[in-house]
Each structure stands twice: as structure tokens, then as C-alpha cells.
Amino acid sequence: MIRSLLFAALALSLPLTAAEKKPGDKKPSKSKAKGEEKKAAPLPYEVGEFVEKDYPFFSSTLDARDVGEAFPKDNLTPRGLVLNLGHNLWACFDVDLLRVSCIWEGEEGKPPITLVALAPRSYKDPGQKTKDGQDDLPKPVGKVWLANGIYPGWQVGTEPQFSDPREPGPTKTEVGRGALAVGHFKRIRTTGSSAILEYEVAGAEITETITGVDEPGGRSVLRTLRVGPSKNPLVFVAGAPLELDKDRQLNPDYLRTSVADNRLHFLKLPASDTEQIWSVPTLIGPATAGSKTAEAESKADAKDKATRWPQTLTTKATLSKDKNEAYVLDDIAIPTANPWKRNLRLADIAFLDDQGHAAGVTMDGDVWLISGLKGDLNKVTWKRYTSGFHEPMNIVARKAGDGKAELLVYDRNGIWKLIDSIGTGEADVHEMFCNLFSQTGETREFPNSMKLAGDGSLYISKGGQQGTT
């Protein structure tokens, strides 16, 4: 008898309908009138918010092309890490162009971005789909403090260039595709409530932290850069900040402004045989009621536990009653009632061994470790392993040099290798295994499939509708 495992409560709704526009029509497709969206039956379990406010980051496309007259109009991030800076401050880091595309202050009680992409839009209502194309993409919600156009955040040389060096897309309005030739993103580390970015530019190793500070004197964002030895002079483009009162605007004497736009700040770094450390304050906003001092914030962060999700959950299966059939289905319950109120919409599963251990990835960016998938399936355990991925659809377990299985997740940002660097049973490092292939902002360009070959190679497929470009 062949047994197949059927995981209950899968609610993944894929947008397989045709585009809403006629061939050759270049005008944005019209969305359905309010109330006409397809409504699915309400979920039979409680689900929290798509963006978890206590996790250091999540991933998303971000459309900041229309965030105010003072900011660049050409600003779309197909591959973005949205960093939670605390105090309802957010920053989007473009893993392709190595730039901060946007920093903003959210609106109280609202998510930091518009929830129009497939995963967040259908998170609580599986009947919701997305429009095709790039007209209706996630946008920052709140007051934008800083923005950058589509140019590299790090450049080799002595003067900044404000253009996209990558090969242009087939449409003039299309963002250049893929990573930079001169630099690449390496990994994101999570520690407590913070995230650390690591990348390389022309051989120089760079580590960056972006921190929100809320003090009685005002609210600010600080970017701290540790730049390794560099054979080349480098330029760091900080961006165009919001114009504030002079006594609130931070403009250290080591920051320069562009001749073309005297609000666009950048920093020149000379070639160096030793490590350089720079602190680049963005700006100061108005003070808020109940502001915490930096010292109090540091003490609060120190209380973070090494294990973010200590709970292990248990479910059991309903075995098939068919005893004489050659092929049967066993129904394994998913822990829909969990402490984090996460919706478990499994997109893929990878077995780690033949002892019933596996890892599953959800469309909403979570990875779970699963055990007990053998025998009578009477005790299947679930443990959260990591989060923050961009609509992932694939997970692969590949045998590493030490014989252990390493996990790789394929999402819209690229292929990530998951690492538990401190032995907590949770992945605290997402290492960029490969993002050399391109990704547009198209809502229907999904990371469709990733398979492991016998020699350890990975084969991927991706595709989707091109609706507006």
C-alpha cells in the first residue's frame, strides 16, 4: 500500500485567471468595484496580522514612485527587505542595488505597507487575488522620511552616479533587472529585535545596521557602516531626506550633497588598508509622547531571549480507513491554533531523512520544522524555524559537507540558505545563496519550482504574466 500525506487546512489561492486588460491596451487595468472581490468562507480559526510587529524584518516589493514631490519619482524595489526599526519606523533595503529605497514612519494601527500582493492580500481571505502587472504594488503607509531613486546605494569611484548601471528591461518604464556586477548582497542576521545586513562592494566587506532612535529630543534613524579594507575609493549614497526645520535636520560635515540635487546626501570613503566605521544619521523627526531614551531601549533589547519561538506544537493524523486500496491518503492536522496566530499555508515540504523529519515553507514567509511523519502519525510536532521570506514556494534539503541537511528556500528575492549559527534550533542567518537571475515587480512572477539534482545542483523555474510592461 502506498500512503500519501495530506496536510489539512491548506488555503493557498493562486492567481491563475487571465489578465483583466485587452491585448495592446497600455492603460492600467481597472480593479473591481468595492465589494465585488471574491469572498471566501471565513477561516475557521483565528489569524493574526500578516506583518508581525516583533520580528526584525519581512520581504516585499515596494513601490515608492509617488511618495511626495520632494522625493525621486523613479523608485521601485522588486526585491526588498523591509526592516522593522522600532517605534513604528521602517526601512526598505534593495538587495539588488544595495540601497535603502525608502525610510518611513508608519501610521498607528495600520500595516507598514499596503497589503495588495498575493500573500498578504489573501492571508485572511483566500479568495482575494492580485491584479496583474506593476500598477498596483505594495506602497509604504505613513510619512516618508527618506528615499533614493533607482541607482546603486554603493558605487566605486569618487563621485556618485544617479543612474541604473544594469541592462534595462524591454520596456522603458521597467526597472533594470538583477543584482549589480560590482557588488552583491550576502546575508541578513537577526539578533533580538534587530537585523544586520552584510554585503560586498568591489571586494570590500560591509556590515550595516539601521536603527530607529526615539529620545525626548526627537526621533531619528542611524545607519552604522563597518567597511572592510578596500582597494578602491567608494561612494555611499545616503539619499534624499524629508525637509525639516534646520534645528531638526542632521547634516554632518562629512556628508556631501549632489550638485544636481542639493538634498541628495552622499559620503565619500577613501581606499583603505584597514576597517572604517561610519555613523550616518538620517534626520530627526518630532519627539513623541512616551519616548524612550537610547539607554532604556538598549536595556529592553537585552532582555530578548535567544530562542524566539520556544514552543513546540503537536497534532495528529487521521489515518485512512481503506485497508485494501493500493493508494490511500492520511490527513495530518496543521497547528492552526498557535501562539503567534500564523496562518500555515504550506507551499512546499522537504524531508530531511527517513525518520519522519521534514521542513515546510509557507507562502507567507515562514519555515517550520516538522517531525513524527512516520508510523501511526499519532504525534506530529511543529517548531517555528524562521520567517521573513518573500512569497516562497519551494524548500530543498541538500546534504552538506558534514553530512547534515542544509535547507534552501527559493523566494522572489533569490535562493537563501538557512543557518542556525548559535545553536538555538532556529535560523538566525539567511544567507543569499544565489540571486543572479532577475526578478521584476510583476505581481505574477513567482518562484515556481526548485529541484535538487543528484550532484547537488539546483534547478529552478520561474515565470508569470507580464501585464503592464
Side-chain angles (χ1 to χ4, degrees):
M1 179 185 293
I2 299 175
R3 310 191 77 90
S4 179
L5 308 181
L6 175 65
F7 289 88
L10 297 189
L12 178 59
S13 178
L14 294 180
L16 300 180
T17 58
E20 296 179 9
K21 53 187 288 186
K22 298 178 181 179
D25 182 9
K26 295 183 179 180
K27 295 181 180 180
S29 55
K30 295 182 179 179
S31 60
K32 294 181 180 180
K34 187 176 181 180
E36 289 185 9
E37 294 92 346
K38 179 182 177 182
K39 294 292 183 181
L43 294 173
Y45 47 87
E46 186 177 4
V47 174
E49 297 304 315
F50 179 82
V51 177
E52 293 184 285
K53 292 295 182 69
D54 59 350
Y55 194 69
F57 78 99
F58 66 96
S59 301
S60 178
T61 296
L62 191 73
D63 183 356
R65 292 175 290 190
D66 189 22
V67 294
E69 292 296 328
F71 299 112
K73 293 296 182 185
D74 194 15
N75 188 5
L76 174 62
T77 308
R79 289 171 164 167
L81 301 176
V82 181
L83 308 176
N84 185 349
L85 309 183
H87 321 295
N88 205 13
L89 296 175
W90 305 84
C92 180
F93 187 84
D94 185 331
V95 298
D96 282 337
L97 286 176
L98 305 181
R99 65 178 179 130
V100 165
S101 59
C102 192
I103 295 177
W104 70 101
E105 181 179 4
E107 294 185 16
E108 197 64 36
K110 294 183 179 181
I113 62 172
T114 56
L115 303 180
V116 296
L118 174 66
R121 184 174 173 82
S122 63
Y123 187 66
K124 293 184 177 182
D125 184 354
Q128 296 298 326
K129 296 184 178 181
T130 58
K131 289 174 57 180
D132 66 304
Q134 300 186 36
D135 293 329
D136 191 15
L137 299 175
K139 297 176 175 61
V141 174
K143 185 176 183 179
V144 173
W145 281 17
L146 176 140
N148 273 301
I150 300 176
Y151 40 76
W154 285 85
Q155 303 172 24
V156 178
T158 57
E159 295 294 333
Q161 303 296 318
F162 302 107
S163 60
D164 190 346
R166 302 170 298 177
E167 181 180 352
T171 307
K172 289 184 178 180
T173 56
E174 177 69 61
V175 178
R177 302 179 179 184
L180 292 170
V182 73
H184 65 276
F185 186 81
K186 299 186 74 172
R187 62 187 65 87
I188 179 170
R189 297 178 182 271
T190 58
T191 170
S193 59
S194 303
I196 302 171
L197 307 173
E198 299 179 18
Y199 44 93
E200 180 182 322
V201 179
E205 302 283 343
I206 300 172
T207 300
E208 176 176 3
T209 57
I210 308 176
T211 308
V213 180
D214 200 4
E215 298 179 293
R219 182 176 288 186
S220 65
V221 173
L222 183 68
R223 299 180 68 180
T224 303
L225 311 168
R226 301 182 70 96
V227 184
S230 174
K231 297 179 180 179
N232 305 285
L234 301 174
V235 175
F236 165 71
V237 183
L242 181 69
E243 289 188 285
L244 297 170
D245 297 336
K246 290 183 178 179
D247 60 341
R248 292 196 178 277
Q249 186 73 46
L250 286 181
N251 187 9
D253 56 10
Y254 54 78
L255 282 179
R256 303 290 181 260
T257 55
S258 167
V259 174
D261 182 354
N262 62 10
R263 293 183 56 253
L264 193 55
H265 294 70
F266 64 91
L267 168 66
K268 292 184 177 183
L269 288 78
S272 176
D273 294 331
T274 59
E275 181 182 74
Q276 304 177 62
I277 302 177
W278 296 85
S279 293
V280 182
T282 297
L283 50 80
I284 290 183
T288 57
S291 298
K292 296 180 180 179
T293 64
E295 181 181 3
E297 189 68 16
S298 176
K299 289 181 179 179
D301 192 62
K303 294 181 180 179
D304 285 328
K305 297 180 179 179
T307 302
R308 191 180 301 275
W309 305 297
Q311 299 93 329
T312 298
L313 311 176
T314 303
T315 64
K316 62 182 298 184
T318 301
L319 299 184
S320 172
K321 296 181 179 180
D322 293 326
K323 303 299 183 182
N324 300 317
E325 298 295 329
Y327 181 88
V328 297
L329 294 176
D330 297 331
D331 190 348
I332 301 176
I334 283 176
T336 52
N338 57 78
W340 316 282
K341 299 179 182 178
R342 294 299 284 173
N343 198 358
L344 270 72
R345 303 189 293 175
L346 285 176
D348 195 15
I349 187 170
F351 282 89
L352 309 181
D353 53 33
D354 60 357
Q355 299 302 306
H357 298 96
V361 65
T362 75
M363 180 65 179
D364 309 295
D366 297 319
V367 174
W368 293 73
L369 298 182
I370 314 167
S371 59
L373 297 177
K374 61 177 300 186
D376 60 8
L377 303 176
N378 195 45
K379 185 179 180 182
V380 179
T381 61
W382 303 74
K383 173 74 170 66
R384 282 192 78 176
Y385 189 56
T386 192
S387 188
F389 294 103
H390 191 182
E391 297 183 341
M393 292 187 177
N394 304 272
I395 187 168
V396 160
R398 190 175 73 159
K399 185 172 292 187
D402 58 4
K404 296 182 180 179
E406 62 180 14
L407 292 175
L408 298 112
V409 168
Y410 176 28
D411 75 349
R412 291 169 64 100
N413 287 336
I415 301 173
W416 299 91
K417 184 165 71 172
L418 313 187
I419 300 172
D420 174 10
S421 70
I422 54 177
T424 61
E426 299 173 2
D428 59 303
V429 178
H430 295 183
E431 186 169 279
M432 182 59 74
F433 181 80
C434 181
N435 67 340
L436 298 179
F437 46 91
S438 65
Q439 174 69 45
T440 71
E442 292 282 329
T443 60
R444 307 286 176 88
E445 189 182 350
F446 298 112
N448 296 109
S449 181
M450 178 171 65
K451 298 300 178 183
L452 181 66
D455 64 353
S457 302
L458 294 171
Y459 289 82
I460 65 171
S461 67
K462 68 197 306 287
Q465 301 170 356
Q466 300 234 168
T468 56
T469 62

